[in-house]
């Protein structure tokens, strides 16, 4: 039987109204020695107000430079079953669609070789398996690989691309997020499994500007579906929303970021020329409003959590790009961005931080993209509009 630890501090985390990770660790600890020692070490960390995990050492599987995060306990004598506690990342399926058969297989494999603790899903996008020892890494990989699954990205590499459910379940998706994610994953296997970048790089694809996958806050490259046509309005459905108690003026018109809407109590009007395609009105009035016309994606660069500089949201690089297989225009653009990053990036500097340091002008000139109004992140401050002598002579 696994060793049982007293956990009075962790027990406090189970008393709130929401499900607790502590409860799940305790379930695993009842039958798994690694999970039991992990629980004991975590309680000690809370008691001593310090962490006892060491992240370091090169561990992995043969032929791969990423996908495994080495983690060691700094108290191996006290908690011997977590002396090694490595994390394994499995490349997630696009849209996170799993069969119950695979989920059962994954849990059985992890109970056999690891702690039994999992993370569905971390912000990295991968299916995360928490805690195994060094000698079990190859067997774990062999088990998953034999069933058609691969390791995800880690380290200074392309991280596992991820996306929202897109057209599989959402009628408002303007692009095929699932196919884009699959194509990116297949195209850049080497960049994912053999780290060669200055630091990490993430793709996240959202079918529309509602951005259910939060790409604009988490991805070095955000691919967000959009459209070029007008918003079709069904005025009878607008009236139905009003009858059911929606305050259209307050909840829709006044919330429009570009102030392109008006409502006189009977008819809703949209000045589509000023619309920024934010999706707020459509998401709130799904039966009354619908995008029309050519569909494509806005390509944004630069979001990240704090590290060298504070957290940043990504900003527009290409306002509209057709996203159709095999996505050659998009892939060629990304390769140019990576070349700029490879040439100028410092160690552990994200591409967005590089652009801030070097300037948007130099970045756009290198990748061959013309400056456009949509690229302006802070109006009237950095317009990125470049005049040449030829322009002045006209």
């Amino acid at each position: 039987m696994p060793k049982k630890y007293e956990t009075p501090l962790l027990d406090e985390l189970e008393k709130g109204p929401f499900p607790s990770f502590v409860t799940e660790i305790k379930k695993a600890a009842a039958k798994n020695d690694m999970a039991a020692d992990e629980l004991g070490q975590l309680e000690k960390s809370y008691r001593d107000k310090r962490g006892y995990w060491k992240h370091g050492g090169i561990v992995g599987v043969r032929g791969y430079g990423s996908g495994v995060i080495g983690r060691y306990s700094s108290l191996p004598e006290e908690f011997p079953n977590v002396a090694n506690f490595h994390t394994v990342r499995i490349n997630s399926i696009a849209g996170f669609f799993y069969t119950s058969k695979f989920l059962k297989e994954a849990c059985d494999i992890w109970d056999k070789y690891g702690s039994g603790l999992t993370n569905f899903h971390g912000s990295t996008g991968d299916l995360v398996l928490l805690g195994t020892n060094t000698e079990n890494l190859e067997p774990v990989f062999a088990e998953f690989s034999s069933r058609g699954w691969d390791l995800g990205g880690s380290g200074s590499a392309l991280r596992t691309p991820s996306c929202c459910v897109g057209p599989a379940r959402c009628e408002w998706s303007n692009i095929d997020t699932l196919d884009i994610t699959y194509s990116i994953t297949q195209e850049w296997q080497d960049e994912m499994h053999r780290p060669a970048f200055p630091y990490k790089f993430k793709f996240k694809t959202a079918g529309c500007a509602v951005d259910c996958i939060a790409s604009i806050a988490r991805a070095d490259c955000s691919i967000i579906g959009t459209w070029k046509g007008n918003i079709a309005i069904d005025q009878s459905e607008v009236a139905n929303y009003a009858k059911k108690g929606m305050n259209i003026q307050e909840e829709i018109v006044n919330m429009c970021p570009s102030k392109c809407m008006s409502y006189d109590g009977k008819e809703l009007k949209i000045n589509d020329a000023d619309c920024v395609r934010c999706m707020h009105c459509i998401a709130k009035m799904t039966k009354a409003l619908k995008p029309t016309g050519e569909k494509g994606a806005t390509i944004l660069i630069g979001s990240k959590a704090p590290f060298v500089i504070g957290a940043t949201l990504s900003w527009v690089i290409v306002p509209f790009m057709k996203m159709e297989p095999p996505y050659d225009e998009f892939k060629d653009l990304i390769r140019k961005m990576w070349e700029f990053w490879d040439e100028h990036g410092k160690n552990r500097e994200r591409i967005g931080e590089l652009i801030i340091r070097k300037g948007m002008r130099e970045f756009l000139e290198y990748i061959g993209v013309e400056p456009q109004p949509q690229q302006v992140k802070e109006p009237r401050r950095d317009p990125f509009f470049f005049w040449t002598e030829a322009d002045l002579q006209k």
Side-chain angles (χ1 to χ4, degrees):
M1 289 289 293
K3 183 176 179 180
K4 184 171 177 58
Y5 292 92
E6 295 299 321
T7 57
L9 295 177
L10 292 177
D11 294 346
E12 291 296 316
L13 298 178
E14 297 183 276
K15 296 179 180 179
F18 303 108
S20 172
F21 72 96
V22 174
T23 303
E24 302 307 315
I25 298 176
K26 286 181 177 179
K27 289 178 184 178
K31 59 182 179 180
N32 186 289
D33 290 325
M34 292 189 76
D37 274 13
E38 196 276 340
L39 190 69
Q41 180 170 303
L42 186 59
E43 175 70 19
K44 183 176 177 64
S45 288
Y46 274 62
R47 185 171 65 247
D48 298 347
K49 297 182 173 61
R50 59 160 294 184
Y52 290 107
W53 292 116
K54 297 188 297 182
H55 177 36
I58 303 300
V59 291
V61 300
R62 185 174 301 169
Y64 285 67
S66 65
V68 177
I69 296 90
R71 189 164 285 115
Y72 305 86
S73 171
S74 59
L75 303 170
E77 297 81 11
E78 188 173 351
F79 303 102
N81 293 302
V82 292
N84 302 159
F85 200 73
H86 308 314
T87 292
V88 178
R89 290 178 175 173
I90 303 297
N91 194 317
S92 53
I93 194 73
F96 305 137
F97 288 100
Y98 295 104
T99 63
S100 57
K101 177 178 181 290
F102 166 73
L103 293 177
K104 291 174 182 176
E105 287 178 345
C107 290
D108 287 343
I109 294 168
W110 201 234
D111 282 338
K112 180 179 179 182
Y113 294 109
S115 69
L117 301 173
T118 63
N119 185 340
F120 284 79
H121 277 270
S123 60
T124 180
D126 294 293
L127 190 169
V128 179
L129 307 175
L130 296 162
T132 191
N133 53 37
T134 304
E135 56 266 29
N136 281 338
L137 290 174
E138 288 290 350
V140 166
F141 174 67
E143 292 262 19
F144 277 96
S145 182
S146 68
R147 291 166 173 79
W149 296 84
D150 202 354
L151 295 186
S154 67
S156 296
L158 174 62
R159 300 301 180 85
T160 305
S162 61
C163 63
C164 68
V165 296
R169 294 192 64 184
C170 181
E171 63 181 303
W172 303 117
S173 184
N174 295 298
I175 51 177
D176 191 339
T177 60
L178 309 171
D179 189 62
I180 291 169
T181 297
Y182 179 77
S183 180
I184 290 171
T185 303
Q186 295 299 315
E187 180 77 19
W188 287 311
Q189 287 288 298
D190 199 56
E191 286 77 5
M192 190 183 305
H193 292 138
R194 294 161 188 89
F197 290 162
Y199 200 21
K200 66 181 79 169
F201 191 96
K202 298 179 180 180
F203 288 108
K204 296 189 188 297
T205 306
C208 73
V210 173
D211 196 11
C212 293
I213 199 164
S215 68
I216 200 169
R218 303 189 298 155
D220 297 272
C221 179
S222 306
I223 306 164
I224 300 179
T226 190
W227 70 96
K228 275 191 172 181
N230 295 338
I231 297 177
I233 306 174
D234 185 333
Q235 297 293 351
S236 63
E237 288 294 344
V238 173
N240 284 337
Y241 278 105
K243 287 178 184 177
K244 292 176 181 178
M246 176 179 282
N247 187 328
I248 294 175
Q249 184 65 42
E250 291 295 327
E251 297 178 50
I252 306 299
V253 175
N254 292 354
M255 296 294 288
C256 176
S258 60
K259 307 301 180 187
C260 71
M261 308 181 75
S262 63
Y263 180 62
D264 60 6
K266 295 181 179 180
E267 188 177 32
L268 181 69
K269 294 181 180 180
I270 301 175
N271 179 4
D272 289 279
D274 290 340
C275 176
V276 293
R277 313 300 195 268
C278 75
M279 283 291 292
H280 170 74
C281 61
I282 297 173
K284 296 285 286 186
M285 305 176 72
T286 55
K287 294 182 179 180
L289 305 176
K290 183 179 181 179
T292 66
E294 189 177 10
K295 303 293 180 64
T298 298
I299 311 302
L300 304 93
I301 289 290
S303 64
K304 53 171 279 298
F307 193 73
V308 175
I309 62 174
T312 59
L313 298 179
S314 55
W315 59 92
V316 174
I317 299 300
V318 179
F320 187 89
M321 178 183 289
K322 291 289 288 182
M323 293 297 288
E324 297 175 343
Y327 312 108
D328 287 336
E329 181 184 4
F330 171 74
K331 292 174 182 176
D332 288 343
L333 177 66
I334 293 300
R335 290 188 182 97
K336 290 178 183 176
M337 292 181 181
W338 284 348
E339 287 175 6
F340 179 78
W341 190 30
D342 183 59
E343 183 172 335
H344 300 289
K346 298 178 181 179
N347 186 39
R348 299 180 73 82
E349 181 179 46
R350 300 283 281 270
I351 191 168
E353 294 167 334
L354 170 62
I355 294 169
I356 291 171
R357 178 168 62 87
K358 296 289 285 185
M360 179 61 76
R361 173 174 183 160
E362 187 169 342
F363 175 68
L364 292 179
E365 288 178 344
Y366 191 98
I367 65 176
V369 171
E370 290 292 321
Q372 299 175 65
Q374 294 91 333
Q375 296 164 349
V376 179
K377 196 171 186 181
E378 298 177 35
R380 294 176 298 279
R381 177 179 166 186
D382 296 306
F384 310 136
F385 199 92
F386 313 142
W387 297 95
T388 65
E389 288 191 26
D391 294 323
L392 297 173
Q393 291 170 2
K394 289 179 181 179

